[in-house]
Amino acid sequence: MDKPASDVPGDRPAPTDSAASMIAAFGGVRGMIDMTVPGLVFVIAYTISRSTWTAAMTAGGVALVFAVVRIIRRETLQHALGGFLGVALAGWIAVKSGKAENFYAFGMLLSGGYALAYLISILVRWPIIGVVLGPMLGENFTWRRIPARYAAYRKATWVWFVMFVLRIVIQIPIYWTGNVTALGIAKVALGVPPFLVACYITWLIMSKAPAPVKVADEEDEDEGAEGERAAGVESGAAAVVEQRDERREDRVAD
């Protein structure tokens, strides 16, 4: 026989859409591809032309096409323009410095910024994964009142912190060698694959955590409790009136 479902939040399974929510929260696989392909195009164009300007313009053109396609499809403007602006800035840095490897410097700085933000969020007890996924899963920040769920979000945030740190640790030594081809390959390899691995590990962690307490459910419970209190007050008042009427009838009888 199947074990009956318990009313205790920790005994309910985590929602099956959490993995999809995580991927969507970070721009999805499409967003990662939009950020990865221009870098690959840059290294190919630079290898062929040996011109930083040509490589930057080619990569920027590809990023612009991706952005236009997203806008035409009426996708989130943040994802449409975010990738293009990032590539445009990286290309500008590379052209301005005259060093092709600097095209990837902005991405490394961005990874460092993300790693720092994730670390700070853990230290101040507001893990970013919970802040991002809470509203998407309908629980907002109720997870902060459930120790086991808070701990799961904290652990998941550590996973993403490690991913960003690994990107920096691997890319910086290659950057200092000035090997643009190797740097481009590393950029691609450290893009989508680690992102998907981090999503999967996060899903595993959250699948073992107590189920989210939906804000709507919590509001319904509060309304129910209020209704019960109101009913209790009304019944109590009715009882008082009834007792008072009985005493009055007793006095009249006497």
Side-chain angles (χ1 to χ4, degrees), residues 52-235:
T52 302
W53 187 88
T54 300
M57 291 302 103
T58 305
V62 171
L64 180 59
V65 170
F66 284 165
V68 171
V69 170
R70 277 184 176 271
I71 292 173
I72 292 174
R73 295 178 62 178
R74 297 184 179 180
E75 296 181 17
T76 307
L77 201 60
Q78 173 189 351
H79 296 152
L81 297 180
F84 170 70
L85 293 177
V87 173
L89 181 57
W92 180 82
I93 293 173
V95 172
K96 198 73 175 175
S97 65
K99 295 181 178 180
E101 61 268 27
N102 282 342
F103 179 83
Y104 301 99
F106 176 70
M108 289 187 288
L109 289 174
L110 197 60
S111 291
Y114 278 134
L116 181 61
Y118 277 63
L119 178 60
I120 291 174
S121 76
I122 292 170
L123 295 178
V124 299
R125 303 180 66 81
W126 277 90
I128 286 181
I129 298 300
V131 172
V132 172
L133 291 185
M136 296 189 72
L137 296 178
E139 61 180 323
N140 283 354
F141 305 122
T142 58
W143 52 267
R144 299 195 79 243
R145 301 199 299 269
I146 306 173
R149 192 157 180 83
Y150 162 77
Y153 274 133
R154 188 168 183 268
K155 190 183 297 184
T157 302
W158 275 116
V159 171
W160 289 83
F161 167 76
V162 170
M163 184 195 73
F164 288 119
V165 170
L166 283 176
R167 284 182 177 178
I168 301 169
V169 169
I170 293 173
Q171 285 181 293
I172 284 181
I174 302 174
Y175 171 81
W176 287 118
T177 66
N179 190 329
V180 178
T181 302
L183 196 55
I185 294 172
K187 172 73 173 179
V188 173
L190 294 170
V192 176
F195 167 79
L196 293 178
V197 170
C199 281
Y200 178 66
I201 295 175
T202 301
W203 176 79
L204 286 179
I205 293 171
M206 298 312 302
S207 68
K208 297 176 182 178
V213 175
K214 304 286 187 178
V215 173
D217 294 342
E218 196 175 55
E219 289 175 354
D220 289 342
E221 287 178 6
D222 291 342
E223 288 176 4
E226 240 177 77
E228 289 177 4
R229 284 196 296 271
V233 170
E234 288 180 5
S235 61

Side-chain angles (χ1 to χ4, degrees), residues 18-30 133 136 160 195-196 199:
S18 58
S21 298
M22 279 181 283
I23 293 176
F26 295 97
V29 176
R30 173 68 184 277
L133 291 185
M136 296 189 72
W160 289 83
F195 167 79
L196 293 178
C199 281

